[in-house]
Amino acid sequence: MQQPAPIAMTDDDLVVAFPHQLANDVRAVSAVMPEALIAPRSPFSVYVGDEVVAIPYRIYQDELPVDVVRTLTGVQQAILHCLYSRHSDGLVRQRHLEQIARSDEPWAVPFVVQLVGEYVLEILESIQHGLSDLPSKRSAQLLAYGDFIARNPKFLARTERRVVSYWSCYYRWKFPVFSTYPGCHLLELLRAAAIDRTGTPWPRHTPA
């Protein structure tokens, strides 16, 4: 059987995942990323500041050699890590997440929050470690996450429901009480950031 031809992601596929001021940097990253056999899947849309971005749910490119990554600027490397945090392989997602989890760049925030609603426990633990500054009043992380959630309440609500679903399906045996599950801890941090940003109570879509 003939092998399928590689599918090139167009610049538009990636540029729209970030605010417009990063377009040239995203194109530089796209230029060094290998082609994939499977097209990027199901982009999800959120606000970053006043802009709508469309982030791929999954990408399928192989990872880049370290020497190629080193040719990119710091911002371009962060963009690369954001994109590969959407990789189909959970270990790849975790490796690249760990490079952006401490970031307070507003455009990196949705890539991290999306992973809160996924099923790999080790990824949740990496996020919790990376968001160590989130509880600190007036920290850059708190401001970035609070602003993102305030602008995207439906996205957080959907994330909450996914966290509960994965806990119930895969981890209830290990964490019989939802409040002990790492995903619950992360949701509490995100809600607290939203409350700090808006000064109002935030709705809960998880078990009490």
Side-chain angles (χ1 to χ4, degrees):
M1 182 180 295
Q2 186 176 3
Q3 290 293 315
I7 298 170
M9 291 182 74
T10 68
D11 281 348
D12 285 346
D13 289 327
L14 300 184
V15 168
V16 296
F18 297 88
H20 73 277
Q21 73 266 21
L22 295 175
N24 288 338
D25 288 307
V26 178
R27 290 189 180 99
V29 172
S30 178
V32 298
M33 289 175 66
E35 296 180 348
L37 294 177
I38 304 174
R41 279 186 51 205
S42 308
F44 58 92
S45 296
V46 291
Y47 280 98
V48 173
D50 294 326
E51 287 188 64
V52 176
V53 300
I55 296 171
Y57 182 71
R58 288 286 182 262
I59 65 169
Y60 299 89
Q61 279 90 339
D62 290 338
E63 289 182 279
L64 294 173
V66 173
D67 59 334
V68 175
V69 175
R70 286 174 179 163
T71 67
L72 301 173
T73 68
V75 168
Q76 291 165 3
Q77 288 184 31
I79 289 169
L80 179 78
H81 293 310
C82 285
L83 291 170
Y84 276 90
S85 76
R86 307 309 317 132
H87 199 273
S88 58
D89 185 316
L91 292 175
V92 175
R93 291 200 298 278
Q94 183 177 1
R95 275 198 296 274
H96 291 275
L97 159 73
E98 288 172 351
Q99 301 302 312
I100 59 170
R102 291 187 179 278
S103 176
D104 52 33
E105 291 286 0
W107 44 266
V109 171
F111 290 89
V112 178
V113 176
Q114 173 68 17
L115 284 164
V116 173
E118 297 192 14
Y119 61 89
V120 181
L121 183 61
E122 291 79 7
I123 285 180
L124 299 181
E125 292 168 344
S126 292
I127 296 172
Q128 192 163 359
H129 181 71
L131 296 184
S132 58
D133 285 345
L134 196 55
S136 302
K137 289 294 185 182
R138 292 183 293 280
S139 71
Q141 269 191 351
L142 182 66
L143 293 173
Y145 278 82
D147 185 71
F148 174 76
I149 295 162
R151 294 174 186 272
N152 297 279
K154 291 182 180 179
F155 183 72
L156 181 62
R158 184 166 67 249
T159 301
E160 288 180 278
R161 294 184 180 103
R162 293 181 69 188
V163 169
V164 173
S165 178
Y166 284 127
W167 162 72
S168 182
C169 184
Y170 296 116
Y171 297 111
R172 200 166 191 155
W173 63 271
K174 187 173 183 178
F175 303 97
V177 180
F178 181 69
S179 62
T180 63
Y181 177 56
C184 176
H185 298 165
L186 289 171
L187 292 177
E188 292 299 330
L189 287 174
L190 296 177
R191 283 195 210 94
I195 292 169
D196 183 82
R197 173 67 178 79
T198 64
T200 60
W202 205 255
R204 179 185 299 275
H205 301 92
T206 61

